[in-house]
Amino acid sequence: MKNLHEIDVYPRLSLPVRSARACELILENGHSVLDLYGGHCVNTLGAGDRGLERVLARQWRKLSFATNLLAHEARAEFLAALAPTLPELPAGERWGVFCSNSGAEANENALKLALDATQRDVVVTFTGAFHGRTAGAAAVTDGKKAFPRAPFEVRRVPFGDAEAARAAIDARVAAVILEPIQSLAGVVDPPAGFLAVLRAACDAAGAALVFDEVQTGSGRLGSFWAAQHFGVLPDVLTTAKGAAGGLPIGLTLARERCTRHAKHGTLGSTFGGGPLVLAAAAEVARRIAAPGFLANVRAASAALVNAAQRGPVVAVRGAGLLLGLVLEEGLSAAAVRDALLERGVLVGTSNDPRVLRLSPPLTLLPGQAERLGRALEGLSAGVSR
Ligand code: PLP
């Protein structure tokens, strides 16, 4: 097109995709690729899920869109489906939810609530963190792609350093935000007890503990939420990506201590909380909570970990279906990713040049993991360093 081009911000793979079904991508040349990247944690139920298709078609015919000023059945159904999945709160407390369209927005809204509720001006974040590209989310993200100025004061602590975290969390801190397992950083697990240290430090300082579960939520770790996987209760949870199985969504879930100052107009969104996306999110939540679903995530995870014992992988990090494969010293993850692609398996890279990321659909069957094992076998020899 002469007068239009896309701004060149994505390093695209040469992988022309014609269609996808479940965990398989079908390329233009008719070849099939096992999708162990899952659209970046988005394709929770796999591509083209029939159940989700039926829900969307029914909702589109019934009520395709409605302003947030109107009550409708899809919203009530979404709340009913999500409620039983949430981490248990102390007696008498309940979660509040706000629906937006993306992970960045979900985090932006989380920080806004915490700053407002505490009337403080400092946010603690961690090295390696990724929380999104809008102003507030970028301010707590580690890296050079942030906005020129942060909208609040940021204290950045080495991820996993309990002493440094304790020292940073004082009475000026409104919120401490982190990914319970850092994904883009290279699937970095928190050291044992680290999240509990943050919980205690936030309690002592009166700060809000915010878990960014944009990737770790919606069943990814084999529990519905990372908060349950690690047994640590945050004050605010955010999620996005896979929560509506492929439709844009952001969710900010907050305890009443963080929502007490929220009034009409504090938060808002045109599309967030629309009936179509909420119908999808309700279906995704129901499916993840259905018997056997999370057991399959755990079984598929174990099968992938087992398959990754071959070839150039020296360690596996992460949990459930968010896994990081650490490669032999000197190997480049991008080169190994390309070599795996030639063997019919799509995986992701990360900010750690030695770590590949796996985040397949949660419907991956344990038996499909063997394809990764075969593709990894004998790989180190032919891959550039
Ligand atoms: N938080 C985490 C942990 C993420 O991985 C991402 C996206 O990759 C975001 C936030 C931002 O989400 P979005 O791209 O939907 O704004």
Side-chain angles (χ1 to χ4, degrees):
M1 265 157 278
K2 256 189 178 162
N3 65 344
L4 183 64
H5 72 101
E6 272 188 86
I7 300 172
D8 186 15
V9 292
Y10 292 113
R12 290 228 160 90
L13 299 173
S14 56
L15 188 73
V17 177
R18 190 169 65 203
S19 62
R21 171 70 53 206
C23 302
E24 301 281 346
L25 303 173
I26 311 300
L27 307 187
E28 287 296 354
N29 62 11
H31 291 170
S32 152
V33 168
L34 180 67
D35 181 10
L36 294 184
Y37 200 47
H40 229 72
C41 288
V42 169
N43 294 335
T44 311
L45 303 179
D49 179 77
R50 296 281 189 227
L52 191 51
E53 180 183 334
R54 278 192 293 277
V55 165
L56 289 172
R58 204 182 317 128
Q59 184 61 47
W60 185 256
R61 284 194 297 268
K62 195 170 168 190
L63 178 67
S64 56
F65 185 74
T67 157
N68 270 313
L69 300 180
L70 300 179
H72 52 74
E73 200 186 348
R75 191 172 303 127
E77 261 191 45
F78 163 70
L79 295 176
L82 196 67
T85 75
L86 294 170
E88 203 169 322
L89 292 173
E93 274 198 59
R94 57 189 188 146
W95 291 102
V97 63
F98 178 77
C99 307
S100 57
N101 311 281
S102 67
E105 270 181 276
N107 286 332
E108 202 85 11
N109 290 327
L111 295 175
K112 195 174 181 185
L113 288 174
L115 290 158
D116 207 23
T118 57
Q119 297 290 299
R120 299 175 180 179
D121 58 357
V122 177
V123 176
V124 170
T125 177
F126 295 89
T127 53
F130 184 81
H131 298 294
R133 292 182 169 83
T134 54
V140 288
T141 286
D142 192 5
K144 298 187 185 72
K145 292 169 197 144
F147 276 62
R149 272 179 300 281
F152 39 74
E153 190 181 320
V154 174
R155 288 184 194 155
R156 196 176 310 284
V157 171
F159 186 71
D161 186 335
E163 271 323 298
R166 270 197 207 97
I169 301 169
D170 62 22
R172 281 191 57 211
V173 173
V176 175
I177 184 167
L178 78 158
E179 303 152 80
I181 293 178
Q182 290 191 326
S183 178
L184 186 62
V187 191
V188 182
D189 297 298
F194 183 59
L195 301 181
V197 164
L198 298 182
R199 177 67 277 172
C202 285
D203 285 341
L209 181 61
V210 182
F211 280 1
D212 173 343
E213 296 221 30
V214 166
Q215 297 211 18
T216 58
S218 300
R220 176 91 8 220
L221 303 187
S223 304
F224 203 104
W225 300 97
Q228 294 150 339
H229 177 82
F230 289 109
V232 174
L233 183 63
D235 301 301
V236 186
L237 270 177
T238 64
T239 198
K241 292 206 187 282
L247 269 66
I249 189 167
L251 298 175
T252 305
L253 288 140
R255 292 163 71 177
E256 272 158 342
R257 62 177 76 167
C258 294
T259 59
R260 59 175 183 257
H261 288 183
K263 308 183 267 301
H264 290 168
T266 301
L267 307 175
S269 172
T270 297
F271 287 111
L276 195 67
V277 70
L278 290 192
E283 172 66 4
V284 169
R286 281 191 297 262
R287 292 277 292 281
I288 297 171
F293 190 97
L294 290 172
N296 178 69
V297 173
R298 295 189 288 269
S301 171
L304 283 176
V305 171
N306 188 40
Q309 304 305 315
R310 283 176 260 174
V313 179
V314 294
V316 180
R317 307 203 287 228
L321 290 176
L322 181 61
L323 295 174
L325 309 188
V326 186
L327 300 171
E328 282 167 10
E329 187 106 36
L331 272 188
S332 133
V336 174
R337 186 259 328 267
D338 292 347
L340 287 173
L341 204 45
E342 278 171 27
R343 291 162 161 81
V345 178
L346 175 66
V347 301
T349 54
S350 71
N351 278 348
D352 184 328
R354 265 182 70 198
V355 177
L356 292 172
R357 271 190 300 169
L358 308 184
S359 52
L362 303 186
T363 49
L364 182 82
L365 298 171
Q368 292 179 289
E370 177 52 21
R371 262 168 77 185
L372 174 70
R374 280 200 306 271
L376 281 168
E377 236 157 33
L379 206 63
S380 13
V383 178
S384 59
R385 284 169 190 267

